[in-house]
Amino acid sequence: MNTQKQNRRWLLRQRPQATIGAEHLELVTEPVPQPGDGEVLVRNIYLSLDPTHRLWMSDREQYLPPVEVGQVMRGGTLSVVEESRSDRFAPGDIVKPAIGGWEEYTLLPESWVRPVDRHPDIPLSAYMSVLGSTGLTAYFGLLDVGQPKAGETVVVDAAAGAVGSIVGQIARLQGCRVIGIAGGADKCRWLTEELGFDGAIDYRAESVGERLDALCPDGVDVQFENVGGDIMDAIYTRLNQDGRMALCGMISGYNDERPMPGPTDFGRILMKRLTVRGFIILDFQERFPEGLSALSQWVLQGELKWKTHVLEGIEQAQEGLGLLFSGGNDGKLMVRLMSEP
Ligand SMILES: NC(=O)c1ccc[n+]([C@@H]2O[C@H](COP(=O)([O-])OP(=O)(O)OC[C@H]3O[C@@H](n4cnc5c(N)ncnc54)[C@H](OP(=O)(O)O)[C@@H]3O)[C@@H](O)[C@H]2O)c1
C-alpha cells in the first residue's frame, strides 16, 4: 500500500549566504502521497544537481521564484511512473517532470509530466546530460545565441563540465577553432586528446590571459561564458569586432549574494560592436524537439562524447552539490535514487 511507502526528501531550511552547508537543507521522511484524478505519482531514478540550485536557494532576483524556506528543494529528475490516474501515463513509463524535486517520489498533475522518447542504443543517464537540459543549453546557447561561423574562434570556460564539453564539440562540428578553459591537467587533457578541442588552458596552473594570447593570436569571435569574474574578463577583453558573448552562467559568483560584476571595460561593447546576450534554456522550450533531434543524431553517429558523475543515494545530494563549486565533479553531476528499471 502506498500509505506505507516512505518518501525521503530534502527541504530548504535556511538560505545560504555563502557556500552551502548541512544547516541549509534537511533530509526528512514523509509518507508517499496518493495520486488523485488527473495526477501521476513518479519515482525518481536520477536527480540532476545543477549550479542553478544554489541560486534557487537564494532570494536574489532571478529567472524563477526562489524555493521557499520549508519547501522541498527544486531539481530536475528523470523518473518512472509508479501510479497513474491519468489516461496519458501508465506505470513503467519513463518521464521527465516539468518541475521536480530533491525527493524519491513526486506527485504531479499530468500536464507537468513529459514522456521521454528513449532510444534503445542510448544509456538512460544520457537523458540527464547530453540529451537533457545541459546538452540543450549547449546546443541553443552556442548555435542561437553565439552564432558561430566556420573558421571562427570559440572560447568556452568550465569547458570540461556538462554544458562546456558539449559546447566545444558542437563548435568543432561547425568548423570552428575551439579553446577550452578548465581546472586541472586531467580535464584539459580530456578536452584536447578525446574531445578534439584545439587547445585547453588550465586556469589553476596557468595565466589565462597569456595563454589566450598564445592560443588565439587573432582574438576571439565567440565567448561561451559559464564562469564570470576574472576568467570572463580575460576572454571578453580579447573579443574581436562583432564578437558575441553567449552568457550562460556565472558560477564563480553564485556563492556570493552581492551583484555579480561585469567586465571591467564596458566600453568595449561599443568600440567593438559586441553582442552580449544572456539566455536561460527555458526560453527555448518550444524548440526542444529540434535540439534533441540534432543532439541524438550526433550521439548515435559518435560525434559527441560526454561524462557523467553519478552519486549513489539521496543522502548524497546536499554534499554532492558542493562538487560543482570546487570543480570536484567530472562530468554531468547527478544522484541515482534507484536502480534503472
Ligand atoms: N543559462 C542556462 O539556462 C543554463 C543551463 C545550465 C547550466 N547553466 C550554467 O552553465 C554553467 C555550467 O553548468 P554545468 O551544469 O555544466 O556544470 P559543470 O560545468 O558540469 O560544473 C561546474 C564547473 O564549474 C567550474 N567552476 C566552478 N567554480 C568555478 C570558479 N570559481 N572558477 C572557475 N570555474 C569554476 C568547475 O570546473 P573546473 O574543474 O574546470 O573548475 C565545475 O566543475 C554554470 O554557470 C551554470 O549555471 C546555465
Side-chain angles (χ1 to χ4, degrees):
M1 281 287 289
N2 246 347
T3 45
Q4 291 162 346
K5 279 193 218 152
Q6 298 298 307
N7 188 14
R8 287 184 298 165
R9 42 194 342 231
W10 284 96
L11 306 185
L12 181 65
R13 286 298 183 210
Q14 265 184 58
R15 299 203 184 281
Q17 296 304 312
T19 52
I20 303 154
E23 67 278 24
H24 301 118
L25 290 152
E26 185 188 3
L27 186 61
V28 301
T29 303
E30 294 174 359
V32 172
Q34 296 270 4
D37 276 350
E39 287 186 327
V40 179
L41 177 71
V42 300
R43 187 166 176 195
N44 299 319
I45 308 165
Y46 289 106
L47 164 67
S48 176
L49 291 180
D50 294 282
T52 199
H53 292 180
R54 173 63 183 82
L55 297 176
W56 293 345
M57 290 179 195
S58 161
D59 58 6
R60 72 158 88 216
E61 194 174 352
Q62 51 188 291
Y63 62 92
L64 281 180
V67 174
E68 292 298 328
V69 172
Q71 294 298 307
V72 69
M73 189 53 214
R74 185 193 295 140
T77 59
L78 185 69
S79 313
V80 56
V81 173
E82 176 92 354
E83 276 186 59
S84 173
R85 294 196 50 195
S86 154
D87 297 340
R88 291 165 47 198
F89 297 97
D93 289 352
I94 302 290
V95 297
K96 257 192 186 177
I99 300 179
W102 288 29
E103 57 189 356
E104 292 175 308
Y105 294 86
T106 305
L107 184 63
L108 298 151
E110 60 183 1
S111 59
W112 287 19
V113 184
R114 313 255 185 279
V116 172
D117 186 13
R118 184 183 176 185
H119 192 287
D121 298 336
I122 298 178
L124 192 56
S125 61
Y127 292 89
M128 289 297 267
S129 56
V130 61
L131 301 178
S133 62
T134 50
L136 289 164
T137 300
Y139 180 87
F140 289 111
L142 179 69
L143 297 181
D144 265 66
V145 183
Q147 303 265 329
K149 295 172 197 65
E152 287 190 327
T153 297
V154 175
V155 176
V156 54
D157 50 16
V163 174
S165 59
I166 305 300
V167 166
Q169 294 177 84
I170 297 176
R172 290 283 301 142
L173 289 166
Q174 306 305 305
C176 297
R177 268 193 87 237
V178 182
I179 307 300
I181 303 174
D186 288 345
K187 287 186 178 181
C188 287
R189 228 184 338 268
W190 184 60
L191 297 179
T192 53
E193 292 180 9
E194 293 196 38
L195 303 192
F197 281 49
D198 298 280
I201 300 171
D202 175 1
Y203 74 88
R204 292 185 197 275
E206 301 179 294
S207 154
V208 174
E210 282 174 22
R211 291 286 290 141
L212 281 172
D213 286 338
L215 290 167
C216 310
D218 299 323
V220 177
D221 301 298
V222 179
Q223 170 173 10
F224 192 102
E225 186 52 49
N226 287 319
V227 170
D230 293 344
I231 294 178
M232 173 178 76
D233 207 33
I235 310 167
Y236 168 88
T237 52
R238 287 161 178 84
L239 275 174
N240 289 330
Q241 172 132 345
D242 299 316
R244 286 83 71 200
M245 185 203 293
L247 182 53
C248 174
M250 302 179 81
I251 192 170
S252 68
Y254 295 175
N255 276 321
D256 186 334
E257 294 296 303
R258 288 173 298 183
M260 297 176 214
T264 43
D265 180 11
F266 191 70
R268 191 177 184 86
I269 297 176
L270 172 66
M271 306 308 169
K272 296 283 181 189
R273 290 73 141 188
L274 304 180
T275 303
V276 176
R277 186 178 150 203
F279 73 96
I280 297 292
I281 187 55
L282 299 172
D283 306 342
F284 292 93
Q285 263 186 99
E286 289 187 355
R287 292 176 56 202
F288 281 3
E290 168 201 330
L292 283 174
S293 155
L295 290 164
S296 307
Q297 266 188 13
W298 282 326
V299 164
L300 290 168
Q301 290 161 356
E303 304 274 19
L304 288 181
K305 295 182 185 168
W306 70 97
K307 280 187 185 172
T308 49
H309 185 141
V310 181
L311 305 171
E312 297 292 341
I314 193 161
E315 48 288 303
Q316 301 296 320
Q318 181 260 314
E319 266 192 40
L321 188 64
L323 295 173
L324 295 167
F325 297 91
S326 65
N329 66 308
D330 191 15
K332 173 72 195 91
L333 187 62
M334 62 185 90
V335 186
R336 186 163 23 225
L337 306 181
M338 62 176 281
S339 318
E340 287 186 13

